[in-house]
Amino acid sequence: MPARALDVTGTLCPVPVLLARRAMRALGPGDLLEVVGDDPAMVVDVPVWAEKDGHRLVELAKEPGGRVRCLVEKGRGGPGL
C-alpha cells in the first residue's frame, strides 16, 4: 500500500505534528504516512511524536532546499490513535 502524503510546507511547530496526528487517525495499523515540510524542527518533533503515540519512524530525510521528509508507520495502539 502506498503511503498517504501530507504536505505541511509553510507551517511551523507545532502545526506539522498536529496535522500529522490528525491525518494518522484516518489510517489503519501498519499504514504509512509521508509527511513533507520545510520546518527544520520536524527532524526532532516528528520522531518524538511518533514514539509518544506508538508509531514507528521508518525514514527521516533532509532534502535539498531545506525540505524534510518523514515516513511514519501507524502503530497498533497508544495515545492519539
Side-chain angles (χ1 to χ4, degrees):
M1 174 179 190
R4 175 170 177 208
L6 177 64
D7 187 346
V8 295
T9 302
T11 65
L12 298 174
C13 178
V15 176
V17 167
L18 295 175
L19 294 175
R21 179 177 280 146
R22 181 183 302 158
M24 191 63 85
R25 288 186 184 132
L27 302 179
D31 288 347
L32 296 173
L33 178 66
E34 180 183 51
V35 185
V36 178
D38 56 0
D39 180 1
M42 286 176 58
V43 298
V44 173
D45 295 344
V46 171
V48 168
W49 156 72
E51 182 176 349
K52 178 179 172 242
D53 278 12
H55 308 305
R56 181 174 74 92
L57 181 66
V58 175
E59 184 177 339
L60 189 148
K62 293 181 184 180
E63 298 181 343
R67 294 187 45 93
V68 177
R69 188 176 70 80
C70 306
L71 188 62
V72 182
E73 179 183 13
K74 182 166 180 169
R76 301 209 176 275
L81 301 178

